Amino acid sequence: MRFLLDDEQREFARSLDALLTAADTPAVVRGWASGDHGPGLALWRRLADAGVFALAVPEAYGGVGPLPVETAVAFVELGRHGVPGPLVESVAAGVLLGGVGGPAAKEWLPGIASGTAVVSLALEGYGPYALDADVADAVLTVTGDELRLTRGAGGATGPGVPTGPGGSTGRPAPTGPGAPTVSVDPARRLFRPEPGGEVVAAGPGVREAARAAGTWATFATAAQALGCGEALLRATVAYVKQRTQFGVPVGSFQAVKHRLADTLLGLEFARPLLYGAAVELADGAPGAGAAVAAAKVAAGEAGYAAARTALQLHGAVGYTEELDLAWWLRRARPLRDAWGTPSACRARVLAG
């Protein structure tokens, strides 16, 4: 089993890192949390141009996927830079619609791959919320063997919907998802999906496709958590080199070194689990679900441990909103629990 990235995959990571560094993502995150989605959606389109959202969309619908290893590479970078929005949900929606097929797949998958459609998703067993449903062009929900689609306030027309005079689509205008539920991370806006919606697929195939989509959502969230933890560790190492106490940098103290070393070990042990799960997903291995769950536990816990280390070593300045670090601190725990809590993932590993 190969865990090393090839030259093309490493270049993909470098290009995303450069793109996101130039985009000033802390400002994008602040705007997204305050309700200003313009900069975030502009960044969304740039990520689509880089091929991020095509990675899980089948080639028949304008994508290049499924490519789990490249998806891991992309989402580690997205987590490291703290990019907001229903990134995981759009990728998982691509897997769901690709598995179901039919008219809904033909309508929405090309838009997901190209970035012209922002889609959120809620699945049974993963919590009642759809992330950033107020921005989404569509919200997908699966209940039992039914897949329902609600056109969102983020885009009244949706991809490929013809408009008449004055922009009319001939369809009822979306009403929006209501008020968000308060989240630890203000940039993760949680909405309960609107009841009803159009049934776009039904039958046993929906349940199987939803299971695959949930696995991919868990997998992408694990990659985000790993990237978030790496960003927190990097910022903390830089800070303890600058902060002095008793005339020397606090990073020279043995207790601080040990805390940072433990944090690094947690992240580095999670990395091979993540890419091992990617290889199993790519091969369609029977144990891919358990491998993804193991990666999610390791990456989620390591990212959260990195947040606790960062907060302790930064002190009170760490959680002030003026410091960009605070946004990563508040994201680590939601990522640990989103799309599979540690206890649920451990149970999945034990079940094999």
Side-chain angles (χ1 to χ4, degrees):
M1 184 177 291
R2 179 181 175 85
F3 290 109
L4 294 176
L5 301 177
D6 60 31
D7 291 341
E8 188 174 341
Q9 290 161 343
R10 286 194 292 270
E11 180 57 34
F12 182 43
R14 284 192 292 267
S15 66
L16 287 177
D17 180 49
L19 185 158
L20 295 170
T21 299
D24 188 16
T25 50
V28 173
V29 174
R30 293 176 189 275
W32 193 274
S34 67
D36 178 11
H37 300 126
L41 292 175
L43 179 57
W44 186 283
R45 290 187 287 272
R46 295 180 65 189
L47 290 170
D49 291 341
V52 170
F53 301 115
L55 294 172
V57 175
E59 292 183 14
Y61 298 100
V64 296
L67 295 175
V69 176
E70 286 75 8
T71 299
V73 170
F75 274 81
V76 168
E77 293 300 324
L78 295 174
R80 182 182 291 120
H81 288 273
V83 180
L87 303 158
V88 167
E89 289 71 19
S90 282
V91 167
V95 174
L96 174 62
L97 291 172
V100 170
K106 292 179 180 178
E107 179 181 0
W108 289 95
L109 284 178
I112 291 174
S114 66
T116 58
V118 179
V119 178
S120 192
L121 175 68
L123 297 176
E124 283 185 316
Y126 292 99
Y129 301 110
L131 184 67
D132 295 312
D134 59 330
V135 186
D137 297 291
V139 177
L140 299 174
T141 56
V142 175
T143 305
D145 290 341
E146 282 190 343
L147 169 60
R148 292 179 177 268
L149 184 149
T150 302
R151 295 180 186 273
T157 59
V161 178
T163 58
S168 171
T169 65
R171 296 177 174 173
T175 58
T181 299
V182 175
S183 171
V184 173
D185 178 3
R188 288 178 59 86
R189 299 164 59 81
L190 305 175
F191 294 85
R192 289 185 178 272
E194 290 290 292
E198 175 188 0
V199 177
V200 295
V206 170
R207 191 182 294 272
E208 184 61 32
R211 185 178 298 111
T215 298
W216 271 75
T218 303
F219 171 67
T221 305
Q224 274 190 315
L226 178 61
C228 179
E230 289 177 348
L232 287 161
L233 178 60
R234 182 181 301 176
T236 306
V237 169
Y239 181 73
V240 298
K241 289 180 179 178
Q242 298 172 358
R243 182 184 173 190
T244 60
Q245 189 73 25
F246 307 113
V248 296
V250 297
S252 64
F253 300 154
Q254 189 176 48
V256 172
K257 291 179 180 180
H258 285 181
R259 185 68 183 263
L260 292 170
D262 288 343
T263 301
L264 177 62
L265 282 174
L267 294 168
E268 290 303 317
F269 271 101
R271 191 185 314 280
L273 288 176
L274 176 68
Y275 286 108
V279 171
E280 295 211 26
L281 277 177
D283 293 342
V292 167
K296 177 62 163 54
V297 170
E301 296 285 21
Y304 183 48
R308 297 179 65 179
T309 296
L311 181 57
Q312 180 172 1
L313 298 186
H314 276 81
V317 71
Y319 58 79
T320 58
E321 290 200 4
E322 290 77 12
L323 191 69
D324 291 339
L325 182 82
W327 296 91
W328 276 255
L329 285 172
R330 289 185 287 190
R331 179 157 298 185
R333 183 160 185 172
L335 287 178
R336 185 193 71 169
D337 295 338
W339 292 105
T341 62
S343 60
C345 287
R346 288 188 175 96
R348 178 69 183 87
V349 172
L350 291 174

